[in-house]
Amino acid sequence: EVQTFDGLQRGDRALCHSCSDKISRWSMLGVQGALLSILIPPVYIKGVIVSNLFKKEHITRAICCRFEAALREEKTTVTSPFYLHHPIIVEALTKKTQRHEMIKNKSHASINWAEGDGAVEVINSRDGRPTQHDQQKKAASAGAASRISKRSLFLLFSKQQPPQSGRKKTYGETKQEAKLYQRT
């Protein structure tokens, strides 16, 4: 299906999610996603820190409270272990000049690390790929995919869940197995 601006103006449902759509979904289902919901209980965001360029009532509605009316009117339901979580929202204390400098000097580098990793991984936040420095270190391994890419994480997940039917399932098929997550 192709989405058009005219369709959106008529009230057609959007085919993509905005950042606040994704965060509000996390407030209901947790950040672990469908795959990990098969293995672990929901993991909720405890707090959100935002710059002082926001209105608290707008961000609260965007992050978590847009579901409250639908839950009250029973237009939607939440099945245990999921629930509507309200993270703490606080304002970062920055001076106007600091904000301007941060915007002017922003970097597109993102760093990830977890216990057990040999080193930090630096990725370009615009395309999700390891930076040139990290790519050189990974030259002998499987391409330039980040260790936190969907593919890499699915391979790790698959090692934890041996195939029952003898055939390996695709990423999409495996996500659909999280029935409770998909229904909520």
Side-chain angles (χ1 to χ4, degrees):
E1 185 177 341
V2 177
Q3 185 166 10
T4 65
F5 183 70
D6 291 339
L8 288 174
Q9 285 185 315
R10 282 192 313 268
D12 290 354
R13 190 179 187 117
L15 299 177
C16 62
H17 294 281
S18 69
C19 292
S20 65
D21 290 339
K22 291 175 184 177
I23 294 170
S24 66
R25 185 174 167 89
W26 296 340
S27 294
M28 182 82 78
L29 299 173
V31 296
Q32 76 289 336
L35 289 180
L36 280 179
S37 73
I38 295 169
L39 301 175
I40 64 172
V43 176
Y44 292 103
I45 296 172
K46 189 169 186 165
V48 177
I49 301 171
V50 292
S51 77
N52 55 3
L53 301 174
F54 77 100
K55 291 191 181 274
K56 188 161 185 166
E57 62 272 9
H58 292 172
I59 199 160
T60 303
R61 184 185 67 240
I63 288 178
C64 59
C65 295
R66 64 171 91 172
F67 293 117
E68 282 188 326
L71 288 170
R72 255 192 325 272
E73 297 165 13
E74 297 181 11
K75 290 181 181 175
T76 189
T77 58
V78 183
T79 310
S80 180
F82 305 110
Y83 66 94
L84 180 57
H85 177 73
H86 297 275
I88 298 166
I89 300 168
V90 295
E91 178 181 330
L93 300 175
T94 58
K95 296 179 183 171
K96 218 175 202 177
T97 55
Q98 288 175 317
R99 284 196 322 271
H100 178 69
E101 287 299 312
M102 289 185 325
I103 292 167
K104 190 172 85 173
N105 299 320
K106 72 179 178 180
S107 169
H108 293 286
S110 176
I111 299 171
N112 68 73
W113 173 84
E115 187 173 340
D117 291 342
V120 299
E121 179 184 54
V122 181
I123 59 175
N124 181 331
S125 62
R126 290 176 289 188
D127 63 13
R129 299 198 182 277
T131 60
Q132 198 66 21
H133 175 71
D134 273 359
Q135 284 178 4
Q136 291 166 356
K137 290 194 303 189
K138 288 184 166 191
S141 66
S146 167
R147 65 180 168 214
I148 60 171
S149 69
K150 280 185 182 180
R151 181 172 190 250
S152 297
L153 293 174
F154 180 61
L155 290 173
L156 287 172
F157 178 85
S158 297
K159 290 177 185 176
Q160 301 300 314
Q161 299 285 88
Q164 278 96 16
S165 65
R167 153 182 109 72
K168 290 184 178 180
K169 293 183 180 173
T170 66
Y171 177 76
E173 290 169 337
T174 307
K175 279 180 65 171
Q176 291 307 312
E177 287 181 1
K179 304 254 187 263
L180 194 56
Y181 183 92
Q182 300 297 345
R183 264 198 321 260
T184 302

